[in-house]
Amino acid sequence: MDLYEIRGGRLGVIAEEAELQELSRESTAMETYNVGSPPSPTAAEDGSDGEEDAFKEGETEGEIILIRDQLQEKVAEMESFAGHLEEIFLTVEENFGRQEQHLEQHYNDVLQTLSQRQDESAARLEEEKKSKLEALYGQLLACGQALDASKELIETAQEVYRSQDKRLLLKTVMPTIKRIEEFAKDEVDLTLSTCLEFNTPLADLSDVKTMMDSINVVPAPSAPVINPQMPNSATQTSLRVCWSLFSDDTVEYYELYYRPVLEDTPADSTFTPQVSKVTLKETHCTVADLLPNAQYELWVTATNTTGISPASEKALYMTVPSPPVIKQRECSSCPEAALIRWESGNTNPVDSYTVELREMGADGTESSITESIVAVPTCQCLIQLQPGQRYLISVRAVNIGGPSDRSEPITITTTGTFFYLLEDTAHPCLSISEDGFTIFYGDEELPISAMALDDNTFTRCVAVLGDLIPVRGRHYWEVEVDDGTEFRIGVAYEDTERNSYLGANSTSWCMRHILSPSRHKYEFLHNGWSPDLRITVNPVRIGVALDYDRGTLSFFNVNLEQHLHTFHCHFQNYVHPCFSLDNPGALTVHNSIEAPEYTFI
């Protein structure tokens, strides 16, 4: 049976038992509820018993949920343990395969060497055999020749002896005797010229013995190869590292070394981060207790009974980033969208960001569905939303190691337009309240040395801009003032002149209130020009309605629901709300308000 089948089967049985236990407890609780509640004589007693039973039932359900959670934790732990056993099983199987290949290779080498020694011994025997046969053959030829010569002399002597001619006998006998004497002088070697036995020298099998001995002597491993970091292989404080061997080496254990990479360390500094080491048998490791959004340099060595391998090439891994921090004072919204800004809070670069949003019910409950906007390259994102809803929005930072934890969430309501005042645009004489919606112009004059001015600050007009709302459509907000305050409210382009008054140029449109000894005067200024209008009732709460599609900017007396004036202009770019105080006083902005029906008729 496969390890996966064993693991899946066991875990399935555990899950099934947990489910049966839960069903059993539920049925027991129901029986207790049905049997243990006798009819009550009065309605008051019935109510009391019902409450007690409901309380007991709630306790039982709580116990069931607690037991179910504990079983689920046990199942998760067993799954993790089974996964660990599976990894060890694969590692043992891989090492066994390598050892088997190693033994088979040695076996083939020994057989090849023995076969070579046998061929060499057979060749030597063949040579010795040939040499012995040639010597015996030569001796046999010499014996034959001696026998032939002896036979010839005998026959010649017999002929001489039998001859009747005395004269011929005397003539031939002496030469014959002389030949016999000469033949007798030659000694015939009757011993064998070669040994009949073959030399059997012992074969030199020392190299075979060395090879046999080397079967138990494992060579030192070669350098491991550490793998590049895989996506989503890290947390804020841990890294999962893997490596491999491209050889048939046998390894008893590995040693993984790691240390942080310090970006701000001077080149001539002698300080080096401390190197940490982990010893393990698997070809993977989860390194814990690390710094978030930090680079680590890692390398690994392999060790067996013979020695230690060279170190692998160093690899760079990164833990996941710290959660971003949403800049609530720089976020704005409207009924159709929201602009969310945040800061990374990480020293190392972040690959991208993921914005997550969940709808909230009227009772404050969160939806179980989370929508995500991924691969956001910068620290801001414009999100399209549904009108009249509440959203819980958070941000994650992402690098190759994986996504960070969620940032602290921010609540966005799309009932109306919402923005904060931009403090970096405020004239030095203006003060902004802690909540960011009220501006104050005091009586005291500031010395020039106290006026820290920059290119984005209003220098002539005591004004401030609201945050940009980069969404086409309809926007509405209200401004609360008092009769004794001279003010200017309206909209302006981002690049409106900072050394000019609002409404006195072509990049701003505003409603102005002027105090005179005889009356309150109101002007609706653009490019220094205003129509001649008279307002009889001084508005103390003014509604501002901006409609990009129709190209209108309208002002209303909110208390009277009275239309005051409308500018008609096709705005080329997005505009900022703008506010100015021309004399000491205060002004409060009210936003995130649903636009009244009469504003966009």
Side-chain angles (χ1 to χ4, degrees):
M1 183 180 292
D2 190 6
L3 182 63
Y4 291 101
E5 296 178 3
I6 295 173
R7 175 183 172 188
R10 289 179 180 174
L11 296 180
V13 169
I14 293 170
E16 185 176 356
E17 289 179 355
E19 185 177 356
L20 289 174
Q21 289 182 10
E22 183 176 351
L23 291 175
S24 175
R25 289 180 180 274
E26 288 179 356
S27 63
T28 304
M30 291 300 296
E31 289 175 3
T32 303
Y33 176 74
N34 293 329
V35 176
S37 301
S40 300
T42 62
E45 292 178 357
D46 288 343
S48 175
D49 291 343
E51 289 178 0
E52 183 177 355
D53 291 341
F55 180 71
K56 290 181 179 179
E57 183 180 356
E59 285 186 347
T60 305
E61 289 180 355
E63 291 179 359
I64 292 173
I65 293 173
L66 179 61
I67 294 172
R68 182 194 63 190
D69 293 341
Q70 291 175 348
L71 286 173
Q72 288 177 347
E73 290 179 2
K74 291 291 184 184
V75 169
E77 289 177 2
M78 294 186 68
E79 284 182 346
S80 176
F81 181 69
H84 183 62
L85 287 179
E86 180 185 341
E87 292 173 351
I88 294 176
F89 174 84
L90 295 175
T91 302
V92 171
E93 188 176 20
E94 181 181 355
N95 288 338
F96 174 78
R98 290 176 180 169
Q99 186 67 18
E100 187 178 23
Q101 291 178 358
H102 179 69
L103 290 174
E104 185 177 356
Q105 181 65 37
H106 272 281
Y107 174 75
N108 293 333
D109 292 343
V110 170
L111 286 183
Q112 183 178 0
T113 303
L114 288 175
S115 176
Q116 183 179 356
R117 293 293 182 273
Q118 182 184 6
D119 293 341
E120 291 175 357
S121 298
R124 284 197 301 269
L125 285 174
E126 186 67 29
E127 292 245 350
E128 188 176 358
K129 170 190 163 185
K130 182 180 178 182
S131 133
K132 287 180 180 296
L133 290 178
E134 287 178 352
L136 290 172
Y137 181 71
Q139 192 174 14
L140 183 61
L141 287 179
C143 288
Q145 291 175 356
L147 288 174
D148 290 343
S150 175
K151 184 179 180 182
E152 182 186 358
L153 286 175
I154 291 171
E155 289 177 352
T156 302
Q158 287 178 350
E159 288 178 0
V160 171
Y161 175 74
R162 292 179 185 148
S163 176
Q164 298 296 327
D165 190 355
K166 302 296 182 180
R167 186 179 178 182
L168 179 62
L169 175 63
L170 294 173
K171 185 178 179 179
T172 58
V173 69
M174 292 308 294
T176 301
I177 292 171
K178 189 176 181 180
R179 286 180 58 194
I180 290 172
E181 290 176 351
E182 290 179 357
F183 180 77
K185 290 179 181 179
D186 294 336
E187 295 182 1
V188 179
D189 186 7
L190 299 179
T191 60
L192 292 177
S193 60
T194 183
C195 180
L196 298 181
E197 295 181 358
F198 286 85
N199 294 325
T200 55
L202 294 176
D204 183 12
L205 299 179
S206 59
D207 53 349
V208 176
K209 184 176 183 303
T210 303
M211 293 176 64
M212 294 296 293
D213 293 339
S214 68
I215 291 178
N216 296 324
V217 178
V218 180
S222 57
V225 177
I226 194 164
N227 300 340
Q229 185 174 12
M230 297 295 293
N232 301 319
S233 60
T235 66
Q236 271 193 284
T237 58
S238 67
L239 290 170
R240 182 170 177 81
V241 188
C242 300
W243 57 90
S244 58
L245 289 173
F246 290 118
S247 63
D248 297 331
D249 297 336
T250 299
V251 177
E252 289 194 0
Y253 61 89
Y254 299 93
E255 290 180 324
L256 176 67
Y257 300 85
Y258 60 94
R259 65 185 176 194
V261 178
L262 303 179
E263 299 289 343
D264 53 353
T265 302
D268 56 350
S269 175
T270 57
F271 172 76
T272 56
Q274 181 181 358
V275 177
S276 302
K277 181 179 73 171
V278 180
T279 302
L280 62 161
K281 293 183 178 296
E282 297 81 15
T283 56
H284 55 84
C285 177
T286 299
V287 184
D289 299 328
L290 304 179
L291 300 173
N293 191 241
Q295 283 189 336
Y296 280 85
E297 193 175 43
L298 303 102
W299 64 97
V300 65
T301 61
T303 304
N304 60 19
T305 55
T306 304
I308 303 175
S309 74
S312 67
E313 294 290 333
K314 291 181 173 63
L316 286 179
Y317 276 54
M318 286 189 68
T319 54
V320 301
S322 301
V325 178
I326 295 179
K327 297 188 284 189
Q328 187 168 358
R329 296 290 288 265
E330 298 184 20
C331 296
S332 57
S333 63
C334 65
E336 292 84 15
L339 178 63
I340 308 299
R341 295 186 177 98
W342 60 88
E343 58 185 13
S344 172
N346 294 284
T347 55
N348 288 307
V350 172
D351 294 342
S352 64
Y353 297 91
T354 299
V355 180
E356 298 179 351
L357 58 148
R358 299 184 299 280
E359 287 190 23
M360 298 181 64
D363 56 353
T365 58
E366 299 178 19
S367 171
S368 60
I369 301 175
T370 300
E371 299 182 40
S372 299
I373 303 171
V374 300
V376 179
T378 60
C379 289
Q380 67 176 33
C381 180
L382 183 64
I383 311 169
Q384 300 299 320
L385 303 175
Q386 296 296 322
Q389 302 292 331
R390 291 181 66 201
Y391 293 89
L392 204 62
I393 298 178
S394 56
V395 184
R396 297 179 188 264
V398 182
N399 64 12
I400 188 171
S404 71
D405 294 337
R406 289 191 180 100
S407 66
E408 288 294 327
I410 182 175
T411 302
I412 295 295
T413 304
T414 57
T415 54
T417 299
F418 178 85
F419 57 87
Y420 283 96
L421 300 177
L422 299 178
E423 296 184 15
D424 61 331
T425 65
H427 188 279
C429 292
L430 279 181
S431 300
I432 300 177
S433 63
E434 186 176 351
D435 63 4
F437 299 113
T438 301
I439 60 175
F440 304 93
Y441 181 14
D443 296 333
E444 299 180 358
E445 293 186 4
L446 293 176
I448 297 178
S449 59
M451 295 186 181
L453 304 177
D454 57 35
D455 294 340
N456 203 33
T457 302
F458 282 96
T459 58
R460 189 172 184 182
C461 181
V462 183
V464 64
L465 295 181
D467 202 357
L468 182 71
I469 310 168
V471 179
R472 294 282 177 179
R474 294 176 174 179
H475 303 282
Y476 178 80
W477 61 94
E478 295 177 359
V479 181
E480 185 176 354
V481 294
D482 56 51
D483 288 345
T485 302
E486 294 184 343
F487 60 84
R488 299 170 191 246
I489 58 174
V491 297
Y493 286 138
E494 185 174 12
D495 60 351
T496 190
E497 297 179 12
R498 299 299 195 260
N499 61 351
S500 174
Y501 286 99
L502 296 177
N505 49 50
S506 61
T507 57
S508 58
W509 298 256
C510 73
M511 172 183 175
R512 181 187 182 191
H513 174 223
I514 306 171
L515 287 173
S516 66
S518 58
R519 64 185 180 92
H520 294 269
K521 182 179 180 182
Y522 293 90
E523 296 178 340
F524 295 89
L525 294 167
H526 173 61
N527 210 12
W529 181 85
S530 172
D532 187 11
L533 295 176
R534 287 184 177 269
I535 297 175
T536 56
V537 178
N538 299 329
V540 294
R541 194 174 179 106
I542 302 166
V544 183
L546 171 65
D547 191 336
Y548 276 107
D549 296 332
R550 295 169 60 184
T552 59
L553 175 67
S554 302
F555 297 88
F556 299 88
N557 186 332
V558 175
N559 295 333
L560 300 179
E561 298 184 2
Q562 177 187 19
H563 173 256
L564 301 177
H565 179 69
T566 296
F567 290 103
H568 294 274
C569 177
H570 294 289
F571 299 103
Q572 301 293 328
N573 301 308
Y574 293 111
V575 294
H576 290 260
C578 59
F579 312 91
S580 172
L581 294 174
D582 292 339
N583 70 340
L587 175 152
T588 301
V589 180
H590 298 274
N591 53 24
S592 195
I593 300 171
E594 185 175 2
E597 295 181 357
Y598 59 82
T599 54
F600 293 108
I601 297 176

PDB file of all heavy atoms in Angstrom, residues 25 62 152 246 275 308 329 331 404 406 462 541:
ATOM      1  N   ARG A  25     -23.025  13.232  20.457  1.00  0.00           N
ATOM      2  CA  ARG A  25     -23.217  14.204  21.523  1.00  0.00           C
ATOM      3  C   ARG A  25     -24.425  15.091  21.245  1.00  0.00           C
ATOM      4  O   ARG A  25     -25.156  15.476  22.150  1.00  0.00           O
ATOM      5  CB  ARG A  25     -21.956  15.064  21.681  1.00  0.00           C
ATOM      6  CG  ARG A  25     -20.795  14.279  22.273  1.00  0.00           C
ATOM      7  CD  ARG A  25     -19.567  15.152  22.409  1.00  0.00           C
ATOM      8  NE  ARG A  25     -18.464  14.400  22.966  1.00  0.00           N
ATOM      9  CZ  ARG A  25     -18.254  14.231  24.260  1.00  0.00           C
ATOM     10  NH1 ARG A  25     -19.091  14.758  25.133  1.00  0.00           N
ATOM     11  NH2 ARG A  25     -17.214  13.523  24.698  1.00  0.00           N
ATOM     12  N   GLY A  62     -21.315  24.257  23.368  1.00  0.00           N
ATOM     13  CA  GLY A  62     -19.964  24.781  23.557  1.00  0.00           C
ATOM     14  C   GLY A  62     -18.945  23.669  23.758  1.00  0.00           C
ATOM     15  O   GLY A  62     -17.836  23.706  23.219  1.00  0.00           O
ATOM     16  N   GLU A 152      71.776 -46.932 -40.376  1.00  0.00           N
ATOM     17  CA  GLU A 152      72.585 -46.926 -41.610  1.00  0.00           C
ATOM     18  C   GLU A 152      73.960 -47.559 -41.356  1.00  0.00           C
ATOM     19  O   GLU A 152      74.467 -48.359 -42.177  1.00  0.00           O
ATOM     20  CB  GLU A 152      72.754 -45.489 -42.112  1.00  0.00           C
ATOM     21  CG  GLU A 152      73.537 -45.425 -43.413  1.00  0.00           C
ATOM     22  CD  GLU A 152      73.824 -43.998 -43.818  1.00  0.00           C
ATOM     23  OE1 GLU A 152      73.376 -43.051 -43.083  1.00  0.00           O
ATOM     24  OE2 GLU A 152      74.478 -43.805 -44.848  1.00  0.00           O
ATOM     25  N   PHE A 246      23.766  16.004  -6.931  1.00  0.00           N
ATOM     26  CA  PHE A 246      23.760  15.521  -8.300  1.00  0.00           C
ATOM     27  C   PHE A 246      24.750  14.372  -8.486  1.00  0.00           C
ATOM     28  O   PHE A 246      25.360  14.214  -9.515  1.00  0.00           O
ATOM     29  CB  PHE A 246      24.101  16.647  -9.267  1.00  0.00           C
ATOM     30  CG  PHE A 246      23.003  17.669  -9.370  1.00  0.00           C
ATOM     31  CD1 PHE A 246      23.226  18.982  -9.008  1.00  0.00           C
ATOM     32  CD2 PHE A 246      21.744  17.310  -9.791  1.00  0.00           C
ATOM     33  CE1 PHE A 246      22.218  19.922  -9.095  1.00  0.00           C
ATOM     34  CE2 PHE A 246      20.729  18.239  -9.878  1.00  0.00           C
ATOM     35  CZ  PHE A 246      20.962  19.546  -9.535  1.00  0.00           C
ATOM     36  N   VAL A 275      27.368  33.418  12.431  1.00  0.00           N
ATOM     37  CA  VAL A 275      26.912  32.309  11.598  1.00  0.00           C
ATOM     38  C   VAL A 275      26.250  31.273  12.496  1.00  0.00           C
ATOM     39  O   VAL A 275      26.819  30.846  13.511  1.00  0.00           O
ATOM     40  CB  VAL A 275      28.077  31.678  10.821  1.00  0.00           C
ATOM     41  CG1 VAL A 275      27.598  30.477  10.018  1.00  0.00           C
ATOM     42  CG2 VAL A 275      28.712  32.705   9.900  1.00  0.00           C
ATOM     43  N   ILE A 308      33.955  15.345   5.035  1.00  0.00           N
ATOM     44  CA  ILE A 308      32.995  16.426   4.801  1.00  0.00           C
ATOM     45  C   ILE A 308      33.162  16.933   3.380  1.00  0.00           C
ATOM     46  O   ILE A 308      34.286  17.074   2.884  1.00  0.00           O
ATOM     47  CB  ILE A 308      33.201  17.573   5.805  1.00  0.00           C
ATOM     48  CG1 ILE A 308      33.097  17.049   7.235  1.00  0.00           C
ATOM     49  CG2 ILE A 308      32.186  18.680   5.593  1.00  0.00           C
ATOM     50  CD1 ILE A 308      33.415  18.085   8.289  1.00  0.00           C
ATOM     51  N   ARG A 329      -4.752  59.088   7.802  1.00  0.00           N
ATOM     52  CA  ARG A 329      -4.965  60.509   7.529  1.00  0.00           C
ATOM     53  C   ARG A 329      -4.751  60.868   6.072  1.00  0.00           C
ATOM     54  O   ARG A 329      -5.005  62.001   5.667  1.00  0.00           O
ATOM     55  CB  ARG A 329      -4.029  61.342   8.408  1.00  0.00           C
ATOM     56  CG  ARG A 329      -4.282  61.207   9.900  1.00  0.00           C
ATOM     57  CD  ARG A 329      -5.601  61.858  10.309  1.00  0.00           C
ATOM     58  NE  ARG A 329      -5.541  63.291  10.271  1.00  0.00           N
ATOM     59  CZ  ARG A 329      -5.267  64.064  11.305  1.00  0.00           C
ATOM     60  NH1 ARG A 329      -5.041  63.510  12.487  1.00  0.00           N
ATOM     61  NH2 ARG A 329      -5.248  65.363  11.203  1.00  0.00           N
ATOM     62  N   CYS A 331      -5.967  58.722   3.557  1.00  0.00           N
ATOM     63  CA  CYS A 331      -6.930  57.935   2.783  1.00  0.00           C
ATOM     64  C   CYS A 331      -8.182  58.771   2.526  1.00  0.00           C
ATOM     65  O   CYS A 331      -8.586  59.583   3.368  1.00  0.00           O
ATOM     66  CB  CYS A 331      -7.308  56.660   3.531  1.00  0.00           C
ATOM     67  SG  CYS A 331      -5.924  55.527   3.777  1.00  0.00           S
ATOM     68  N   SER A 404       3.011  39.074   3.758  1.00  0.00           N
ATOM     69  CA  SER A 404       3.108  39.396   5.184  1.00  0.00           C
ATOM     70  C   SER A 404       1.766  39.171   5.856  1.00  0.00           C
ATOM     71  O   SER A 404       0.753  38.859   5.214  1.00  0.00           O
ATOM     72  CB  SER A 404       3.539  40.851   5.354  1.00  0.00           C
ATOM     73  OG  SER A 404       2.467  41.718   4.974  1.00  0.00           O
ATOM     74  N   ARG A 406      -1.618  40.614   7.731  1.00  0.00           N
ATOM     75  CA  ARG A 406      -2.444  41.778   7.395  1.00  0.00           C
ATOM     76  C   ARG A 406      -2.037  42.983   8.243  1.00  0.00           C
ATOM     77  O   ARG A 406      -1.663  42.854   9.402  1.00  0.00           O
ATOM     78  CB  ARG A 406      -3.916  41.489   7.638  1.00  0.00           C
ATOM     79  CG  ARG A 406      -4.550  40.514   6.665  1.00  0.00           C
ATOM     80  CD  ARG A 406      -6.059  40.521   6.860  1.00  0.00           C
ATOM     81  NE  ARG A 406      -6.718  39.590   5.952  1.00  0.00           N
ATOM     82  CZ  ARG A 406      -7.128  38.371   6.300  1.00  0.00           C
ATOM     83  NH1 ARG A 406      -6.939  37.970   7.542  1.00  0.00           N
ATOM     84  NH2 ARG A 406      -7.719  37.582   5.436  1.00  0.00           N
ATOM     85  N   VAL A 462      -4.356  82.523   3.475  1.00  0.00           N
ATOM     86  CA  VAL A 462      -4.318  81.645   4.657  1.00  0.00           C
ATOM     87  C   VAL A 462      -5.260  80.472   4.368  1.00  0.00           C
ATOM     88  O   VAL A 462      -6.428  80.455   4.794  1.00  0.00           O
ATOM     89  CB  VAL A 462      -4.720  82.408   5.926  1.00  0.00           C
ATOM     90  CG1 VAL A 462      -4.590  81.499   7.143  1.00  0.00           C
ATOM     91  CG2 VAL A 462      -3.876  83.659   6.085  1.00  0.00           C
ATOM     92  N   ARG A 541     -24.079  76.614   7.584  1.00  0.00           N
ATOM     93  CA  ARG A 541     -23.655  75.275   7.138  1.00  0.00           C
ATOM     94  C   ARG A 541     -23.877  75.231   5.640  1.00  0.00           C
ATOM     95  O   ARG A 541     -25.014  75.283   5.163  1.00  0.00           O
ATOM     96  CB  ARG A 541     -24.433  74.193   7.856  1.00  0.00           C
ATOM     97  CG  ARG A 541     -23.822  72.792   7.704  1.00  0.00           C
ATOM     98  CD  ARG A 541     -24.566  71.775   8.572  1.00  0.00           C
ATOM     99  NE  ARG A 541     -24.032  70.436   8.438  1.00  0.00           N
ATOM    100  CZ  ARG A 541     -23.286  69.826   9.353  1.00  0.00           C
ATOM    101  NH1 ARG A 541     -22.991  70.462  10.479  1.00  0.00           N
ATOM    102  NH2 ARG A 541     -22.857  68.589   9.167  1.00  0.00           N
TER     103      ARG A 541
END
